[in-house]
């Protein structure tokens, strides 16, 4: 009826539903009018009063008059609300469709869908889970109440409840607070976090569920079965995405399994000991099947025992090599039934051993086993243990069974080779330990078949990398040269190749001597190569040749300087005599001064040559190298660029060597200045001094451009320079070399382009207790004669004239034998002897010993144009009264004689 009237005095005339409502509110009278719009009932308007008779026809008329407009307002509001909800849901559907576009992962799809669904249903919680293998993994969530994050995994039963759904709608809860214990576990957790109404639907079908979507709100009664059916329809496109990513994961899993399988087969084909093969197999299988424990066992049916050949585990179980009775090995059951076994829960297995209980205690309940079969006989088994129950599938069993077949053959082969290898152990040991390259390569494919470890080290490869190489990758021969050498080896059976080269992994070359022999290897022709690295020997030969060349150049330079110094001695001597003559006018004296200056400059040049020809030492004594280095840097630093940094490292204690401080300082200065010139843009120079055993070591290193090998080899050659024309004489480093050699030391240089250069100087330390002791005290005696001993007549004449002008009486001797006879005749007549070092017949040292044997206190001053240290031994060097280097002046000669105790017999 469109209207209803209730009066407590006459309730029977009122419809039952209206009467019951009025009586429940304790009303005396009430009226109601139905609201209709376009023939559709949209609501009702009612009024009531406690007093009886208060409302009647008039009130009913009034409500009827407002019912029409009120129905229109309600209908309009309902339409607007429906349109708004429809727009919101349309937008959500579009968002869902957009989320289904190309993505990298299911999480990138499910996250936006969860947000869209929550907005669509004005929800407080929305979660999307993917189902796989009995587990539900949360892949998308948008929630104000849920404590979970993407990646959270639970069992599907905790989401679906005890009864599987018959359709896509899993459940709809109007009020979770009023629900009993029958709700799923996850729903109970959500309820405890404030969720009250919830609906959950399947993605996919009940026969093939792919995912679950849950929408919930904190208010009860928000969702109906119709909402759930609508939600199930909306989320079905998500099944395509889940199926796609599941397929992608499955493809990746299969690809990973295939790669692991190939890796296992590669390991097995590579060979090795049975234990090595088994361990490698288990390591790969544990990763492949996600197992925590694996074992390879071998059976001896005759002895009724089994042995753990290899174990790979995260749980303490049993040691490798341990033998146990077959009755204690569950895997031994495979002897009776040679097929893979799957144990979903090993806890229900009978006769468990203590080691089984240890694995079970660690949570390993799933087991898979496969036999090792050779010639239809079970020789052993592979056993894998994983966490949880039911972890292995039939597919896993089939795959493990497939992999154990090549393992069984590989173990059988390895065992056979192991017994064969014992007989070859001595041979293999010799080859493996040989410090020569020994390898085999196929005569047809040129691929390396085997090699000793020294080959790998010498060529810079890992041992396993060598089998991937061909002889073409190592030898530097052209294809034509290689083909010719192989043809010769194949025809003659052997070939020796000298002065060949091999290419290392880094591209560098080494010099080798090679012997090739034709051998049989595995039923095919192979070439056995024995190669010796002769790079060091050749380098030493080059150094020897360089050293011999330097010695030859030094000897030649010394000889030239000696003869030239004799000439300069004559020139300077007679020029000095003429200059002091009273008959010379000023212009003539000036001309003679120019002659002397030119002769001195020529003497300076010969001094450089003498320095190159082993030093030309003029002062012998104890020298502190610390002082030499400090003085060198004090003199050199003002000439260095501001952009060149210098560091000096010196020991606290003194470092003494025997030599000439000035000469050593010149040698170090030459090196430092060379480093400066090599770094015009700046850099660093580091000098360090250390004592290493019986020698002192000075190291000078720079980070300049470095030198190539040719420059490094020629760096000490006289007149060799890399500087522009006019910028250097090329004698600096040659002089340095001569100085160090003259101090009985060594100098070496290491350099690489772009890396820098390091000079290393080694000098013998000074010892006070060397033979000879301190120099003897000389007594010129009462004699007034000076004996000049020199094989050069012009030098004798010049020296005699100079000494006569200085006031000395002079006796000449053209050689050592004559000098000895003269002194033997009247030993007391001589106050000093001027002795040349290098003479034909008796040498200077022999003459010195003969003269001092006649008269031990006779002062002897050495006068030579050679480098003194090259032609006088240590004993004589310590006993001479002095040394004058040719060419000399009258003043230097006078000082040397006075120092020896000789005095002129008449005034000048």
């Amino acid at each position: 009826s469109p209207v209803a009237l209730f009066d407590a005095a006459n309730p029977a005339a009122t419809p039952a539903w209206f009467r019951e409502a009025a009586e429940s509110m304790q009303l005396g009278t009430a009226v109601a009018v139905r609201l209709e719009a376009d023939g559709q009932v949209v609501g009702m308007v009612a009024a009531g009063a406690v007093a009886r008779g208060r409302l009647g026809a008039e009130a009913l008329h009034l409500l009827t008059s407002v019912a029409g407009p009120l129905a229109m307002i309600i209908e309009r509001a309902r339409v607007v609300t429906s349109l708004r909800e429809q727009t919101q849901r349309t937008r959500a559907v579009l968002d869902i469709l957009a989320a289904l576009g190309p993505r990298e992962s299911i999480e990138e799809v499910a996250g936006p869908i969860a947000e869209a669904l929550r907005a669509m249903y004005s929800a407080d919680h929305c979660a999307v889970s993917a189902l796989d293998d009995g587990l539900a993994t949360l892949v998308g969530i948008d929630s104000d109440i849920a404590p979970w994050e993407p990646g959270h995994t639970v069992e599907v039963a905790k989401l679906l409840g005890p009864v599987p759904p018959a359709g896509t709608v899993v459940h709809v809860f109007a009020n979770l607070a009023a629900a009993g214990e029958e709700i799923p576990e996850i729903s109970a957790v959500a309820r405890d976090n404030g969720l009250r109404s919830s609906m959950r639907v399947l993605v996919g079908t009940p026969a093939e569920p792919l995912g679950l979507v849950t929408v919930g709100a904190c208010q009860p009664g928000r969702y109906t079965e119709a909402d759930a059916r609508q939600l199930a329809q909306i989320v079905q496109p998500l099944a395509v995405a889940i199926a796609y990513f599941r397929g992608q994961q499955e493809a990746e899993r299969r690809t990973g399994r295939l790669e692991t399988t190939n890796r296992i087969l590669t390991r097995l084909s590579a060979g090795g000991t049975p234990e090595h093969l088994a361990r490698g197999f288990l390591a790969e299988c544990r990763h492949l099947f996600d197992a925590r424990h694996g074992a390879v066992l071998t059976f001896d049916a005759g002895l009724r025992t089994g042995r753990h050949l290899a174990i790979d585990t995260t749980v303490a179980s049993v040691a490798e090599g341990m033998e146990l009775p077959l009755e204690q090995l569950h895997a031994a059951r495979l002897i009776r039934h040679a097929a893979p076994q799957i144990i979903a829960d090993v806890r229900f297995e009978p006769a468990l051993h203590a080691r089984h209980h240890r694995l079970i205690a660690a949570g390993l309940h799933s087991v898979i086993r496969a036999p090792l079969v050779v010639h239809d006989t079970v020789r052993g088994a592979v056993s894998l243990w994983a966490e949880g129950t039911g972890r292995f599938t039939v597919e896993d069993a089939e795959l493990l069974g497939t992999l154990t077949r090549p393992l069984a053959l590989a173990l059988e082969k390895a065992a056979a080779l192991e017994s064969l290898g014992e007989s070859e152990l001595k041979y293999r040991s010799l080859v493996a330990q040989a410090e020569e390259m020994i390898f085999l390569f196929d005569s047809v494919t040129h691929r390396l078949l085997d090699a000793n470890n020294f080959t790998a080290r010498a060529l810079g490869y890992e041992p396993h990398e060598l089998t991937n190489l061909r002889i073409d990758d190592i030898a530097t021969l052209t294809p034509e040269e290689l083909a010719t050498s192989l043809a010769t080896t194949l025809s003659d059976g052997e070939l020796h190749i000298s002065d060949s080269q091999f290419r290392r992994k880094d591209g560098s070359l080494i010099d080798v001597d090679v012997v090739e022999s034709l051998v049989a290897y595995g039923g095919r022709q192979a070439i056995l190569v024995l190669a010796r690295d002769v790079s060091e020997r050749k380098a030493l030969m080059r150094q020897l040749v360089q050293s011999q060349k330097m010695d030859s150049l030094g000897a030649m330079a010394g000889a030239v300087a000696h003869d030239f110094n004799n000439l300069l001695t004559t020139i300077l001597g007679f020029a000095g005599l003429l200059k002091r003559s009273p008959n010379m006018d000023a212009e003539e004296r000036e001309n003679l001064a120019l002659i002397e200056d030119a002769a001195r400059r020529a003497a300076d040049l010969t001094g450089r040559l003498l320095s190159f020809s082993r030093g030309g030492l003029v002062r012998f004594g104890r020298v502190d190298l610390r002082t030499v280095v400090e003085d060198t840097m004090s003199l050199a630093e003002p000439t260095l660029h501001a952009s060149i940094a210098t560091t000096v490292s010196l020991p606290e204690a003194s470092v003494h060597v025997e030599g000439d401080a000035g000469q050593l300082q010149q040698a170090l200065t030459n090196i430092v200045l060379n480093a400066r010139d090599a770094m015009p843009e700046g850099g660093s120079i580091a000098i360090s001094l250390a004592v290493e055993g019986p020698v002192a070591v000075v190291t000078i290193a720079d980070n300049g451009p470095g030198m190539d090998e040719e420059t490094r080899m020629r760096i000490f050659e006289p007149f060799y320079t890399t500087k522009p024309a006019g910028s250097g004489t090329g004698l600096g480093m040659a002089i340095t070399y001569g100085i160090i050699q003259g101090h009985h030391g060594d100098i070496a240089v290491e350099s690489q382009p772009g890396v820098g250069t390091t000079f290393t100087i080694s000098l013998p330390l000074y010892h006070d207790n060397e033979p000879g002791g301190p120099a003897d005290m000389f007594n010129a005696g009462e004699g007034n004669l000076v004996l000049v001993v020199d094989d050069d007549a012009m030098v004798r004449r010049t020296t005699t004239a100079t000494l006569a002008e200085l006031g000395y009486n002079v006796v000449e001797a053209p050689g050592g034998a004559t000098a000895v006879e003269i002194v033997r005749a009247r030993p007391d007549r001589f106050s000093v002897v001027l002795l040349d070092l290098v003479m034909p017949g008796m040498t200077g040292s022999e003459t010195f010993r003969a003269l001092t044997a006649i008269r031990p206190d006779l002062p002897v001053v050495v006068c030579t144009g050679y480098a003194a240290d090259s032609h006088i031994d240590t004993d004589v060097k310590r006993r001479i009264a002095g040394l004058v280097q040719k060419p000399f002046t009258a003043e230097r000669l006078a000082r040397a004689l006075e120092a020896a105790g000789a005095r002129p017999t008449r005034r000048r």
Side-chain angles (χ1 to χ4, degrees), residues 93 127 138 173 375 377 456 478 545 570-571 579 652-653 655 678 821 873:
V93 170
L138 188 64
F173 293 113
H375 304 309
T377 302
T478 65
V545 170
T570 303
I571 295 172
K579 187 177 178 182
E652 295 182 359
V655 180
E821 293 300 325
D873 55 48

Side-chain angles (χ1 to χ4, degrees), residues 12 24 27 113 214 233 267 316 361 375 540 600 649 688 779 836:
S24 66
L27 299 177
I113 288 179
T214 303
Q233 292 177 349
R267 278 181 177 240
H375 304 309
L540 291 175
R600 289 192 183 97
S649 176
S688 64
N779 180 11
D836 188 19

Side-chain angles (χ1 to χ4, degrees), residues 706-731:
M707 298 178 282
D708 57 28
E709 185 62 16
E710 180 186 359
T711 302
R712 189 187 72 82
M713 292 296 295
R714 301 184 61 188
I715 188 67
F716 297 121
E717 289 184 12
F719 307 111
Y720 176 78
T721 179
T722 58
K723 298 177 182 178
S727 300
T729 64
L731 283 175

Side-chain angles (χ1 to χ4, degrees), residues 568-578 580 798-799 802 805 888:
L568 291 175
T569 300
T570 303
I571 295 172
L572 281 173
F574 284 117
L577 291 173
L578 290 173
R580 292 189 291 273
T798 305
T799 306
T802 302
E805 187 185 22
F888 51 78

